[in-house]
């Protein structure tokens, strides 16, 4: 991976996850800067990873070859407008990790047609088990695409999309989906407790089942998910009855509806900013 000077604007959880992944994989700490209005998160980053920190976005951008926009969507316009007015932005690559803001809108905020790549990471990135969707327009140079992809691979797997609207599909399938699984597991845990198991035991059973199932999926990429289901389903057995109940009560339709709801909301959010 190219070792460009990267400055993170915003010091939230995703910024911390990416920096952690970079440092663990040998990226030079002196080529990473983070800026944030308040000091506590910055001090923690400096202490844990040895990176440069500043409370000045202008200072962070001045030394950067790559600028990662990691502020909350509702703050993005204020931050970008300020950078446009006070910083020299030509020749820099911008990478957005903010949800709901289209690349054209970000360029208008920055005041120019700069090299900009939009990404959508998910929360398991904090454990380097994430999935990030990336979109780059046709004007983006290949070496910039390669850098952005390598950057996000430090926190998990990546998926490039051909059309920016497909980022909303990534949100539905990966960005929001950890919460789908948590909701499902919570229902399982509650039922296990109603069966008489104590809280901690119920939690242990369902989380270990989830972990084992996920590992089986990852270890067997040649098998369709339906095949994996069949492998643990004996005809007329307990698993068969449970799966049959799910299907008869519309689990596939429910999942599809939930994902489409996420896509619709992502589209609505794009109009807010």
């Amino acid at each position: 991976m190219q070792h460009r000077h990267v400055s993170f604007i915003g010091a939230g959880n995703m910024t911390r996850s990416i920096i952690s992944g970079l440092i663990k994989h040998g990226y030079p700490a002196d080529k990473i800067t983070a800026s944030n209005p308040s000091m506590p998160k910055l001090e923690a980053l400096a202490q844990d990873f040895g990176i440069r920190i500043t409370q000045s976005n202008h200072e962070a951008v001045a030394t950067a070859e790559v600028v990662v926009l990691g502020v909350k969507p509702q703050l993005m316009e204020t931050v970008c407008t300020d950078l446009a007015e006070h910083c020299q932005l030509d020749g820099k690559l911008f990478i957005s990790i903010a949800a709901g803001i289209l690349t054209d809108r970000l360029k208008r905020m920055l005041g120019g047609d700069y090299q900009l790549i939009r990404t959508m990471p998910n929360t398991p990135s904090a454990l380097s088990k994430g999935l990030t969707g990336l979109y780059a327009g046709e004007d983006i140079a290949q070496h910039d695409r390669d850098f952005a992809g390598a950057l996000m691979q430090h926190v998990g797997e990546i998926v490039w999309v051909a059309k920016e609207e497909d980022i909303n599909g990534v949100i539905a399938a990966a960005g929001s989906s950890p919460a789908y699984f948590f909701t499902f597991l919570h229902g399982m845990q509650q039922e296990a407790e109603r069966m008489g198991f104590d809280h901690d035991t119920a939690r242990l059973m369902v989380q270990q089942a989830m972990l084992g199932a996920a590992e089986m999926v990852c270890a067997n990429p040649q098998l369709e998910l339906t095949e994996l289901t069949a492998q643990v389903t004996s005809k007329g057995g307990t698993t068969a009855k449970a799966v049959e109940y799910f299907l008869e009560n519309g689990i596939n339709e429910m999942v599809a509806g939930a994902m489409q709801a996420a896509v619709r909301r992502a589209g609505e959010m794009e109009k807010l900013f």
Side-chain angles (χ1 to χ4, degrees):
M1 181 183 184
Q2 310 158 38
H3 289 165
R4 306 191 202 180
H5 195 127
V6 184
S7 288
F8 291 81
I9 308 302
N13 293 335
M14 193 58 66
T15 288
R16 182 179 178 85
S17 297
I18 298 171
I19 291 173
S20 175
L22 288 170
I23 296 299
K24 286 178 182 176
H25 287 85
Y27 205 93
D30 63 357
K31 287 188 174 291
I32 301 174
T33 299
S35 65
N36 199 61
S38 58
M39 283 301 293
K41 289 183 179 180
L42 290 178
E43 290 172 340
L45 288 172
Q47 180 177 340
D48 294 344
F49 306 117
I51 67 166
R52 300 177 178 182
I53 58 173
T54 176
Q55 289 180 281
S56 168
N57 290 345
H58 302 167
E59 182 181 331
V61 169
T63 60
E65 297 171 88
V66 179
V67 179
V68 180
L69 300 170
V71 299
K72 295 178 180 179
Q74 58 267 34
L75 300 177
M76 188 66 77
E77 184 168 16
T78 299
V79 168
C80 288
T81 300
D82 177 68
L83 295 179
E85 291 177 353
H86 297 98
C87 299
Q88 175 54 253
L89 305 182
D90 291 337
K92 300 182 188 295
L93 170 64
F94 291 87
I95 298 174
S96 170
I97 58 174
I101 308 180
L102 296 169
T103 54
D104 284 347
R105 177 63 179 138
L106 281 165
K107 288 180 180 181
R108 289 197 297 273
M109 291 177 183
L110 290 166
D113 189 22
Y114 301 114
Q115 295 280 287
L116 192 148
I117 295 175
R118 185 179 171 195
T119 73
M120 189 65 249
N122 65 1
T123 54
S125 297
L127 303 175
S128 295
K129 297 290 185 181
L131 188 288
T132 300
L134 300 97
Y135 168 76
E138 294 180 357
D139 61 315
I140 304 300
Q142 187 60 49
H143 67 276
D144 285 335
R145 292 171 182 261
D146 292 343
F147 183 88
L151 183 79
M152 302 313 297
Q153 280 180 319
H154 283 85
V155 293
E157 300 292 336
I158 64 171
V159 173
W160 283 95
V161 299
K163 299 177 295 182
E164 185 165 13
E165 64 193 58
D166 291 339
I167 283 285
N168 292 344
V170 173
I171 292 172
S176 298
S177 62
Y180 311 164
F181 298 118
F182 301 153
T183 301
F184 188 83
L185 290 173
H186 179 63
M188 290 179 61
Q189 179 183 351
Q190 285 185 311
E191 185 57 27
E193 290 178 25
R194 281 192 286 267
M195 291 176 179
F197 294 99
D198 64 77
H199 177 85
D200 291 344
T201 300
R203 168 70 179 256
L204 176 63
M205 289 193 297
V206 300
Q207 73 182 35
Q208 190 63 25
M210 172 192 65
L211 176 62
E215 291 287 354
M216 289 181 69
V217 170
C218 294
N220 295 280
Q222 77 284 4
L223 295 179
E224 295 293 337
L225 298 178
T226 51
E227 294 180 72
L228 288 169
T229 301
Q231 286 185 359
V232 295
T233 306
S234 300
K235 187 175 181 179
T238 57
T239 306
K241 283 297 180 184
V243 172
E244 181 182 294
Y245 185 91
F246 283 136
L247 295 175
E248 287 180 350
N249 284 273
I251 189 170
N252 289 338
E253 293 77 12
M254 184 178 294
V255 170
M259 292 177 68
Q260 288 302 321
V263 169
R264 287 193 299 273
R265 180 55 182 162
E268 292 169 358
M269 289 177 66
E270 290 172 353
K271 300 173 184 178
L272 297 176
F273 307 106

